[in-house]
Amino acid sequence: MPELLDRAGLAVAPVLAAFVEEQILPPLGLDAGAWWQGVAAIYARFAPENRALLAKRDGLQEKIDARYTAGEAADEAFLREIGYLAPEPAAFAIGTGNVDAEIATMAGPQLVVPVLNARFVLNAANARWGSLYDALYGTDALPGMAVPGGYDPVRGAQVIDYAKAFLDEAVPLAGHRWEAFRGGTPELRDPGQLVGRSGDSLLFRHNGLHIEVVVDRASVIGRADQAGISDVILESALTTIVDLEDSIAAVDAEDKVAAYTNWLGLMRGDLVESFDKGGRTITRRLNPDRVYEAPDGGSFTLPGRSLLFVRNVGHLMTNPAIVLADGGEAPEGILDAIMTSTIALFDLRGQGEHRNSRAGSVYIVKPKMHGPEEVGFTNSLFDAVEDLLGLARHTIKVGVMDEERRTSANLAACIEAVKDRVVFINTGFLDRTGDEMHTGMRTGPMIPKAEMKSSDWIKAYEDRNVRIGLAHGFSGKAQIGKGMWAAPDRMADMMEQKIGHPRSGANTAWVPSPTAATLHAIHYHQVDVFARREEIAREAIPGLTPLLTVPVAKAGRNWTPDEVRAELDNNAQGILGYVVRWIDQGVGCSKVPDIHDIGLMEDRATLRISSQHMANWLLHGVATEADVEAAFARMAAKVDVQNAGDPLYKPMSGHEDTSLAYQAARALVFDGLNQPNGYTEPLLHAFRAKVKAQHG
């Protein structure tokens, strides 16, 4: 390791110091000495408090464990007594200002993308607009598939029929259907929906989203269409979360600088990535804004890119990029807050090629906070970062991930702690389930994973998130979001099921790809989210009792050996399939084949639930250590076969004693009880660091 450099009493990795002092501060006109002094002051103030909050988590868990071990329920009264449940705040409304329309007043899909993959990041940022024709033609969203070997006119006709039927619903014509439209200026049932033109192409607006009907009679598709329509372009991913957390593997200063470098490229607008596709070089860069002619003859622009959030890490992890005066590694979440906000100055000051926030805000998603005290800590930290950078108070906005039990049980109080900067609350089923299982680990054996989605607490959790947000003034000021569709190849199923998210009153939901964003955008034309919210706001907020119902199996439930084996195999395969890429290749999110060879988007949240479930069954004797070892051995062989085509893959089966990935997977289960809140990061980081050390 290179010798660390002294910066205002902090020991800083040279790669981080050089990045800050050469690429960030000089173009911004910031003095390096003053900036490092400010960073050191932030760490001196907040690092001890960060440690104290983590110690409080552990103390609460110890009391809950002891309660269950004694055979008593950790009910609402007990949780209030130990301080797990905070007092409910008096009525209030959030006061967040300067929020971009994509967050506050629009409803549409949201992407989450790993910051370390520049190609994916650019694709996501450019997914603000997507071709409906392409999304339908190349997926199973419509029955059947295109015949390979060039354009399939039969599939094309099927796509065009669907797209024009969609237009009939979203932008109905007066007196006839779109299939009969022959071109020119359309007579609309609502003439106000036609808001612009680009050449012969027509721009419409419906439910706050834009639809561009592309007219190009010179194109192959346009020549065959009586109106010359060659495509329908939908405004799709309104927002994107650029992720420094669950979807990446960043364990040291080099990894962190790589992540910050891509964020810098986005904020400066000059991020570029070239790659080979079919023997030719493709270059990706950020799309420009889109220019249209208004009905009155003037011109106007629409954003060409998704509005970007950046997700920082939570409070738990530290990183060796900075070592504090006491010799301990610096809390990573504090570093992320400082670095991502400093880099965002390029956007705030208009020093980039494009603008991200037209409202002049920085949008940080903060995950894995436990309760209002931890959310309040983030609020104070962001105050301090604003002071460091000379920003007006509440320039830095926060998205609160409602994915830990103590947060969802105290959601109103959590929102109150950031009431003047909150722009987002989002449910995360997988992390929330992992925390549910770890918190109630000693209650008894948990029900199988497949039964979790129908358990009592899940519905209360999802419903409370929306209703509490609406009760505190989110509509028109902030996003209320829902979780990920994990199967990127199953668009037909997504189209059937994910409409439930806008129907729930959420004005955004996560999708796994730009194509999925375009298809999911259809749902926001089918459902007027803001009208739906008016209905939901009249409904009662579900109480705490169902939310606090632990999903344990009924007393006396007996699993057959086949049921136990199937559940263990499912968990072990998912753990191994994800961990082997994380540890050996540093891939934090990818499409991983499940036990049925269906590709699912996996990140650390899926790993947390699987490892905690196996640890729970071990603890309560549903499975033995021998059962778990056998499942890992069986599934290592299966995962090896599933990855046989990857030249970078290192087999695990037969190499159990030397494969650090295999050992990490085992540790996540056999040491699962001792992992803080069931998180996987400490073990993953430790094993990944070993792999990196082996390779220099």
Side-chain angles (χ1 to χ4, degrees):
M1 292 288 292
E3 185 175 347
L4 300 180
L5 305 175
D6 181 272
R7 293 294 185 271
L10 300 172
V12 181
V15 65
L16 177 63
F19 175 67
V20 168
E21 294 165 10
E22 295 171 12
Q23 296 191 49
I24 299 177
L25 300 183
L28 292 172
L30 297 179
D31 178 73
W35 189 86
W36 282 114
Q37 287 286 348
V39 171
I42 288 174
Y43 269 115
R45 175 184 171 189
F46 289 98
E49 187 176 348
N50 198 135
R51 287 192 289 268
L53 289 170
L54 296 178
K56 182 172 182 178
R57 288 186 193 178
D58 294 341
L60 289 171
Q61 187 62 54
E62 288 170 4
K63 292 176 182 178
I64 292 170
D65 287 346
R67 180 80 169 186
Y68 284 132
T69 301
E72 299 181 82
D75 56 13
E76 184 176 341
F78 171 76
L79 294 175
R80 291 199 183 281
E81 177 186 329
I82 66 172
Y84 184 96
L85 291 177
E88 194 73 10
F92 72 93
I94 64 171
T96 316
N98 300 322
V99 183
D100 286 90
E102 291 92 335
I103 295 170
T105 59
M106 299 176 72
Q110 186 169 69
L111 287 167
V112 184
V113 64
V115 69
L116 287 174
N117 191 313
R119 177 181 172 183
F120 288 0
V121 165
L122 288 165
N123 287 346
N126 289 339
R128 177 63 172 262
W129 301 86
S131 165
L132 180 58
Y133 279 17
D134 287 350
L136 294 169
Y137 186 89
T139 70
D140 71 344
L142 296 180
M145 293 297 290
V147 175
Y151 178 65
D152 177 359
V154 175
R155 180 66 169 179
Q158 186 184 18
V159 166
I160 292 167
D161 287 346
Y162 181 98
K164 291 188 176 180
F166 162 74
L167 292 175
D168 287 334
E169 296 297 323
V171 193
L173 299 174
H176 57 89
R177 300 176 66 84
W178 274 92
E179 65 180 2
F181 178 59
R182 295 185 176 277
T185 300
E187 294 184 23
L188 300 177
R189 192 177 301 171
D190 176 5
Q193 285 192 278
L194 178 60
V195 295
R197 294 177 181 270
S198 177
D200 293 329
S201 299
L202 305 166
L203 184 71
F204 304 99
R205 187 167 54 224
H206 176 248
N207 284 356
L209 294 174
H210 292 93
I211 303 165
E212 183 177 336
V213 175
V214 180
V215 178
D216 181 5
R217 296 182 182 275
S219 68
V220 173
I221 306 300
R223 278 199 305 268
D225 186 272
Q226 62 185 3
I229 296 173
S230 61
D231 204 348
V232 175
I233 305 294
L234 300 187
E235 195 170 15
S236 300
L238 297 181
T239 52
T240 288
I241 298 173
V242 180
D243 189 25
L244 277 76
E245 196 233 3
D246 262 3
S247 69
I248 70 167
V251 303
D252 54 27
E254 289 75 16
D255 291 339
K256 294 300 292 186
V257 169
Y260 297 144
T261 297
N262 282 351
W263 179 241
L264 176 62
L266 291 169
M267 292 296 95
R268 290 190 312 211
D270 59 2
L271 183 63
V272 176
E273 180 76 356
S274 297
F275 54 94
D276 181 82
K277 186 174 184 180
R280 59 193 187 97
T281 300
I282 304 293
T283 299
R284 291 274 192 272
R285 52 176 46 88
L286 291 171
N287 286 340
D289 289 340
R290 300 169 75 91
V291 180
Y292 295 94
E293 180 185 348
D296 63 6
S299 66
F300 65 96
T301 62
L302 292 176
R305 301 157 308 284
S306 190
L307 180 74
L308 302 180
F309 288 80
V310 60
R311 182 160 69 171
N312 291 182
V313 303
H315 298 327
L316 175 64
M317 296 303 293
T318 60
N319 192 282
I322 293 180
V323 176
L324 304 179
D326 63 6
E329 292 182 358
E332 190 176 359
I334 296 175
L335 178 63
D336 275 358
I338 295 168
M339 290 296 298
T340 57
S341 298
T342 302
I343 290 168
L345 287 177
F346 284 91
D347 182 59
L348 294 178
R349 295 180 175 184
Q351 291 181 230
E353 294 181 22
H354 308 287
R355 292 308 297 264
N356 182 46
S357 171
R358 289 161 169 77
S361 292
V362 181
Y363 299 108
I364 296 179
V365 176
K366 190 70 177 178
K368 295 180 172 58
M369 295 185 289
H370 293 244
E373 192 175 5
E374 293 193 13
V375 179
F377 170 83
T378 293
N379 190 63
S380 298
L381 172 63
F382 286 4
D383 281 350
V385 174
E386 287 166 344
D387 292 342
L388 168 71
L389 301 177
L391 296 174
R393 186 63 75 235
H394 305 135
T395 297
I396 304 173
K397 305 301 193 289
V398 68
V400 176
M401 294 295 300
D402 177 7
E403 57 187 348
E404 308 298 329
R405 193 174 192 256
R406 188 152 57 108
T407 292
S408 53
N410 296 287
L411 184 57
C414 290
I415 293 170
E416 186 184 42
V418 284
K419 65 183 178 66
D420 292 320
R421 72 167 83 243
V422 64
V423 290
F424 166 115
I425 52 174
N426 195 312
T427 54
F429 163 74
L430 291 167
D431 258 313
R432 179 63 178 77
T433 303
D435 193 59
E436 182 73 24
M437 288 193 292
H438 190 85
T439 304
M441 180 65 71
R442 287 165 175 78
T443 317
M446 297 291 162
I447 59 178
K449 285 197 309 183
E451 298 177 18
M452 287 285 178
K453 287 188 177 181
S454 59
S455 54
D456 290 342
W457 70 268
I458 284 286
K459 186 176 188 309
Y461 164 59
E462 295 287 354
D463 288 351
R464 281 172 57 88
N465 185 265
V466 173
R467 285 156 180 76
I468 290 173
L470 294 179
H472 295 294
F474 269 59
S475 199
K477 291 184 178 179
Q479 277 184 336
I480 300 176
K482 294 293 180 184
M484 179 65 78
W485 178 263
D489 298 327
R490 294 196 160 192
M491 293 294 96
D493 291 340
M494 187 195 78
M495 293 302 293
E496 179 181 349
Q497 298 176 39
K498 204 168 176 65
I499 194 170
H501 284 157
R503 284 175 178 165
S504 75
N507 65 319
T508 197
W510 289 357
V511 287
S513 68
T515 295
T518 297
L519 293 171
H520 184 42
I522 294 171
H523 292 144
Y524 296 90
H525 290 282
Q526 294 171 332
V527 179
D528 183 339
V529 170
F530 292 94
R532 177 74 184 111
R533 283 179 169 181
E534 293 178 5
E535 301 169 354
I536 293 171
R538 296 191 287 269
E539 300 172 5
I541 297 172
L544 278 173
T545 299
L547 185 77
L548 298 176
T549 303
V550 182
V552 291
K554 292 182 179 179
R557 176 168 178 175
N558 292 313
W559 285 273
T560 68
D562 286 345
E563 287 175 320
V564 173
R565 175 176 170 135
E567 189 73 12
L568 293 179
D569 282 356
N570 182 285
N571 281 322
Q573 189 277 339
I575 293 170
L576 288 166
Y578 177 74
V579 168
V580 70
R581 298 184 185 186
W582 213 104
I583 300 299
D584 287 347
Q585 299 181 30
V587 176
C589 181
S590 60
K591 188 167 69 171
V592 178
D594 72 0
I595 198 167
H596 304 295
D597 298 316
I598 297 169
L600 300 178
M601 297 303 295
E602 302 278 3
D603 66 10
R604 286 201 301 260
T606 55
L607 185 63
R608 185 183 184 193
I609 181 175
S610 296
S611 57
Q612 286 296 293
H613 197 274
M614 291 183 85
N616 172 265
W617 275 24
L618 266 177
L619 175 66
H620 294 284
V622 177
T624 66
E625 288 191 14
D627 292 333
V628 173
E629 294 283 20
F632 273 124
R634 286 191 300 272
M635 293 302 105
K638 181 175 180 65
V639 171
D640 285 351
V641 171
Q642 290 176 322
N643 287 275
D646 181 355
L648 300 177
Y649 183 79
K650 297 178 180 179
M652 295 179 288
S653 185
H655 305 275
E656 292 85 354
D657 292 339
T658 57
S659 170
L660 289 173
Y662 188 85
Q663 293 168 24
R666 287 185 68 262
L668 287 165
V669 173
F670 287 108
D671 198 27
L673 297 183
N674 302 318
Q675 296 311 299
N677 303 104
Y679 289 128
T680 62
E681 289 94 315
L683 287 170
L684 288 177
H685 280 230
F687 278 95
R688 174 64 182 160
K690 290 180 181 179
V691 168
K692 294 190 75 173
Q694 286 180 352
H695 294 85

